[in-house]
Amino acid sequence: MRRRAIIGTSLAVVAAMGLAACGGGGDGGSGSKTLRVTLVNHVWTENIKKALPEFEKQTGLKVEVTQLGEDQLSDQYNVKLNAGSSDIDVMMYRPLQEGKLFAKNKYLADLTERAKSDSAFDFSDFQAGPVQATTYDDKIVGVPIITESEVLYYRKDLLEKSGFTAPPKTLDELKAQAAKVEADNPGVAGFVSRTGKAAAVTQFSSFLYSFGGDFVDGNGKASVNTEQAKQAYAYYGGLLREHGPKNISTDMSWSEAMAIFTQGKAAFYTEANSLYKNATDPSKSKVSDTVGFAAFPAGPAGSKPYNIPSWALGVNDGSKNKDNAWKFIQWAAGKEQSLAQQKAGVPGARASVWANPEGISTYPKDLAEATTAGNANGVGHDRPLVVKVAQAREIVGQPIVDAITGKDAAASADAANELFQKFLDDEAK
């Protein structure tokens, strides 16, 4: 059953302040003065809702906000977009979860001309990684609004105790420091991260890229059995097997791994920057005053953490109100709102918000620096870019589990690659 919550049927979105719609967009037109925007339950959404009334006096547009949980949001999109419905104008969506499906099925309007011809919007300000994830067949189909990237969490006190003056800059150094700290502190693991077959794929991806691999090669073929991929599987699994928590389970997601770190039971932890408050909040973490953050350590191919858009805004291609839908995106993803969101603790996709001292004032200094470094070299996906994401994660995640448990990671990668190629072939039919 679809649950719908309409919030504020007379909320205005700015149409003034120089945010005139750009040309193009086919049947966009000026459309209705009522704009229907579907958003997910998120801090970003709450911030936007609070800001909307400020602009009601400056526009004739009225915004109907449908706000739903992730599952309900997916259900509504499945029903309405499949039916070609025009009663959604702006849609908040997950580029890496359903973005390819939506783009492939032509649910998302082409925003290329609008985005690139709008000098005030300054699309070039958006980081390359997130833009990669909201682009399909060289067309801009979404605008990233919330990002996350992988960084290294570490215990400053334990490193100092073991004689290290700085966190590891390379994966080789990470392994060496993890071993030394573990040896110096009985009962403390050198390293912890996600271990679940599907859950670990996202965090493993940064190791894969930093070894020079990827899930799919430039020709669209499965590539999880390349030498680089096999080295990444062996490294990640070996680090957890040799220096991870004793009797490590292979079903940990972020919450279980984070708990081990925040209870003081691990020296290093690779995780999304967006989860940092779980480690720095004294009410949640026993090590809040000793946590440090560093850029993802470099592998043979350099430091290449994922830098992804967890959420983006798109325009329903079936909308009859595309021009006004673009006005909403101009404002909601514009520089002013992006900075306000960033200051409120929502990591933004614009480079300018990370370069602005105001934008990073609420973040730990070393976290902001680690994130900025990752933004420069980041990869715009943390999982295979496919339609059936969950199934793909199960396939490419199997070698992670096998490596952790001491099985032949290379043989497992070969088997996974064969399955993954068959999956890709089936999906292409």
Side-chain angles (χ1 to χ4, degrees):
M1 182 174 66
R2 193 184 72 222
R3 290 185 290 174
R4 180 181 173 98
I6 300 295
I7 315 261
T9 56
S10 63
L11 297 178
V13 62
V14 68
M17 300 177 63
L19 299 182
C22 298
D27 63 354
S30 58
S32 167
K33 291 295 184 181
T34 298
L35 191 66
R36 291 157 299 190
V37 177
T38 300
L39 305 175
V40 76
N41 290 336
H42 195 284
V43 174
W44 184 93
T45 298
E46 298 304 321
N47 294 338
I48 281 294
K49 282 161 51 186
K50 290 174 186 174
L52 276 170
E54 300 173 12
F55 303 100
E56 189 166 20
K57 296 176 183 177
Q58 302 178 50
T59 180
L61 293 177
K62 296 180 180 179
V63 179
E64 289 184 354
V65 177
T66 301
Q67 184 176 342
L68 302 166
E70 288 188 25
D71 290 342
Q72 289 76 33
L73 189 77
S74 295
D75 289 344
Q76 179 167 114
Y77 287 160
N78 285 337
V79 172
K80 293 200 169 186
L81 298 178
N82 281 335
S85 175
S86 63
D87 64 359
I88 297 175
D89 299 314
V90 178
M91 46 198 284
M92 188 173 177
Y93 75 101
R94 298 170 293 184
L96 298 178
Q97 196 64 24
E98 58 242 348
K100 186 168 184 179
L101 172 67
F102 287 1
K104 185 178 180 180
N105 290 346
K106 303 188 185 307
Y107 296 158
L108 296 169
D110 181 1
L111 303 177
T112 307
E113 183 180 346
R114 298 176 189 272
K116 290 192 173 181
S117 63
D118 186 346
S119 60
F121 188 63
D122 190 11
F123 193 72
S124 65
D125 186 33
F126 288 89
Q127 300 159 17
V131 167
Q132 176 192 6
T134 56
T135 302
Y136 181 77
D137 282 349
D138 297 324
K139 296 176 182 177
I140 297 168
V141 295
V143 175
I145 52 174
I146 305 165
T147 63
E148 60 181 52
S149 61
E150 189 165 3
V151 298
L152 180 67
Y153 293 55
Y154 70 96
R155 290 277 300 283
K156 292 184 284 188
D157 56 330
L158 296 183
L159 266 65
E160 183 178 351
K161 178 181 174 182
S162 290
F164 298 113
T165 58
K169 289 183 167 51
T170 68
L171 291 175
D172 285 343
E173 289 178 4
L174 172 60
K175 189 172 184 179
Q177 290 194 18
K180 179 70 163 65
V181 173
E182 184 177 65
D184 293 344
N185 299 273
V188 176
F191 176 77
V192 71
S193 192
R194 304 183 194 186
T195 62
K197 182 164 57 174
V201 168
T202 54
Q203 305 315 301
F204 165 74
S205 69
S206 298
F207 292 83
L208 177 62
Y209 308 146
S210 297
F211 269 92
D214 204 331
F215 299 107
V216 175
D217 66 19
N219 296 315
K221 300 296 184 181
S223 60
V224 295
N225 72 335
T226 63
E227 187 59 33
Q228 294 87 347
K230 288 178 178 179
Q231 289 175 0
Y233 280 123
Y235 178 94
Y236 187 85
L239 193 59
L240 283 164
R241 186 177 66 256
E242 296 167 12
H243 302 297
K246 300 301 180 188
N247 302 314
I248 189 170
S249 69
T250 53
D251 60 359
M252 289 197 300
S253 186
W254 77 266
S255 55
E256 292 84 7
M258 177 70 79
I260 290 172
F261 182 78
T262 57
Q263 291 300 305
K265 300 299 184 182
F268 293 103
Y269 173 40
T270 49
E271 188 52 85
N273 60 347
S274 57
L275 298 172
Y276 80 92
K277 288 185 178 179
N278 290 278
T280 60
D281 183 345
S283 68
K284 299 179 180 179
S285 173
K286 291 183 178 179
V287 297
S288 59
D289 58 343
T290 63
V291 174
F293 302 93
F296 189 85
S303 173
K304 293 188 175 180
Y306 66 72
N307 178 33
I308 62 162
S310 47
W311 291 94
L313 295 177
V315 174
N316 174 19
D317 196 48
S319 168
K320 304 301 182 184
N321 205 6
K322 290 189 180 73
D323 284 348
N324 287 332
W326 176 246
K327 289 178 184 178
F328 178 86
I329 293 178
Q330 280 180 308
W331 169 69
K335 290 186 176 181
E336 184 178 341
Q337 279 302 314
S338 293
L339 180 59
Q341 292 278 5
Q342 176 89 359
K343 289 165 66 176
V346 181
R350 286 182 174 272
S352 60
V353 299
W354 290 100
N356 188 326
E358 285 186 66
I360 59 175
S361 62
T362 60
Y363 295 80
K365 184 174 183 292
D366 54 355
L367 177 64
E369 291 172 349
T371 300
T372 300
N375 292 349
N377 305 311
V379 177
H381 57 281
D382 63 354
R383 66 202 76 178
L385 291 170
V386 295
V387 173
K388 297 178 180 178
V389 178
Q391 186 178 342
R393 288 175 70 153
E394 290 285 326
I395 295 171
V396 302
Q398 186 60 51
I400 298 174
V401 173
D402 290 341
I404 293 171
T405 56
K407 295 180 181 178
D408 187 337
S412 181
D414 284 332
N417 199 74
E418 186 175 342
L419 287 173
F420 190 38
Q421 185 57 55
K422 183 177 185 304
F423 168 91
L424 293 173
D425 291 342
D426 290 343
E427 196 166 274
K429 292 177 181 177

